[in-house]
Amino acid sequence: MRRSPSFVSGAAAGALAGAALVLALAAPALADGGDGGFTIKDPRIKESSGLAASRIHPGVYWTHNDSDDGPYLYAVDSRTGRTVATVTMSGVGAPRDVEAISLGPDGDLYVGDIGDNLGGKWDHVWIYKLPEPKVLKDQTVRATQYVVKYADGPRNAEALMVHPKTGRVYIADKNEDGGHLYEGPAELSATATNVFKPVATVDLWVTDGAFSPDGRQLAVRGYFGGIAYAWNGGRIKRQERLNVPLQGQGESVTYTPDGSKLMYGSEGADSPVEPEDAPGAPGSGADSSAKGGGSAAGGASGGGTSGQVKAGAIAVAALFAVVFGIRRLRRR
């Protein structure tokens, strides 16, 4: 959802910019190297809100703009950061607030038009499904549109995940005080309303989520942190905090096809996609994280440059938190 903290002004804006500059100078430059991170260079992509790693085109990531940009998906080559194909979805009407994208075990792309700029007033949202193109070129692809409602009423959401083994679709709603994981029907219906039911609580203000390729883990992220859950047959169990990089407006996450890394994306022009080791992957430091190790959301910071960067990240995150708090108070 288009809710960047652009309203900040005066001393708060200066402090925030200064902290961000310190962090940028302390952190190593992001290389255009695929799983080593890349920058989205397409000037049309200014609000990248979802991210999905292609399984048939190595090094390619699918993304889309937030809100009502139109029925467009972009295939970005992580080695160059450039768009190698633009897909126009047909058969879906006018998208309202596209927030997420995921790949299913059937090889189809699932696109979540699930945001709600009215804060939970729309009585239904949509999911679009289309086959991932086998050839990367500009083209129009017909999609199937599914009507979605929630069993407990309308809500805003930005995270849609398709389980890589069962093909079942899940949505996590976006709530500042934590939300819920919603489970869709075993098979989506194109002719009837698909009712999603709450099945678990999620202790995060969620902006995106992703299943690991083996389906054993669910990762959810927010603006300043993330959580890894053991899937546990759908009865999710919290494992550890994720080491989420500080980003201007952290919106998206996906696993690399081999499951070794999580790729984190952000909104904005020339937005970075940054990698972190996935929980349980070699070098991830899962044990220390599970015992209280660091993430942008909290935990102990390490020494040296890494510690300085994490300390800077925590400082900037705190400023963002104050900003969001002020905004929430103003809304009241």
Side-chain angles (χ1 to χ4, degrees), residues 38-54:
F38 61 97
T39 298
I40 297 175
K41 297 179 178 178
D42 190 332
R44 297 172 298 174
I45 306 173
K46 296 180 180 179
E47 293 185 296
S48 174
S49 188
L51 201 64
S54 173

Side-chain angles (χ1 to χ4, degrees), residues 18-270:
L21 178 60
V22 169
L23 182 61
L25 291 173
L30 197 69
D32 292 335
D35 290 350
F38 61 97
T39 298
I40 297 175
K41 297 179 178 178
D42 190 332
R44 297 172 298 174
I45 306 173
K46 296 180 180 179
E47 293 185 296
S48 174
S49 188
L51 201 64
S54 173
R55 297 197 193 106
I56 60 176
H57 302 294
V60 167
Y61 288 81
W62 291 96
T63 190
H64 53 82
N65 278 314
D66 189 352
S67 301
D68 54 356
D69 172 60
Y72 308 118
L73 305 177
Y74 305 95
V76 178
D77 185 344
S78 62
R79 287 156 293 209
T80 64
R82 301 191 183 282
T83 299
V84 291
T86 300
V87 171
T88 302
M89 294 182 289
S90 65
V92 301
R96 196 160 49 189
D97 193 353
V98 179
E99 292 287 357
I101 188 168
S102 182
L103 265 165
D106 50 8
D108 285 350
L109 290 164
Y110 291 72
V111 181
D113 191 354
I114 55 176
D116 190 336
N117 285 314
L118 300 177
K121 300 292 171 48
W122 289 326
D123 68 350
H124 70 278
V125 291
W126 299 298
I127 294 172
Y128 313 129
K129 184 177 80 167
L130 65 156
E132 181 180 13
K134 292 182 172 57
V135 177
L136 291 176
K137 64 178 182 178
D138 293 351
Q139 58 192 289
T140 298
V141 179
R142 186 166 187 82
T144 302
Q145 179 169 311
Y146 302 97
V147 175
V148 169
K149 290 188 176 183
Y150 300 97
D152 52 357
R155 60 204 54 252
N156 181 36
E158 295 191 7
L160 178 146
M161 300 77 63
V162 183
H163 195 274
K165 301 301 181 182
T166 67
R168 201 156 194 161
V169 182
Y170 295 83
I171 294 173
D173 65 347
K174 184 182 182 184
N175 190 305
E176 293 176 56
D177 301 317
H180 291 83
L181 181 71
Y182 288 81
E183 181 182 74
E187 293 186 14
L188 296 178
S189 170
T191 57
T193 298
N194 297 274
V195 178
F196 278 60
K197 301 176 181 179
V199 292
T201 58
V202 179
D203 304 320
L204 194 71
W205 191 7
V206 178
T207 59
D208 202 10
F211 282 109
S212 59
D214 62 10
R216 297 174 62 184
Q217 196 167 68
L218 172 66
V220 292
R221 74 157 300 173
Y223 292 119
F224 312 121
I227 301 172
Y229 290 96
W231 183 238
N232 195 32
R235 299 182 299 276
I236 60 173
K237 182 178 180 181
R238 181 170 176 153
Q239 288 182 310
E240 60 184 273
R241 291 190 299 275
L242 295 173
N243 190 27
V244 178
L246 181 73
Q247 296 175 314
Q249 188 174 346
E251 287 284 337
S252 59
V253 66
T254 188
Y255 280 84
T256 54
D258 64 1
S260 66
K261 294 182 182 297
L262 284 162
M263 305 292 284
Y264 295 94
S266 175
E267 284 195 5
D270 297 319

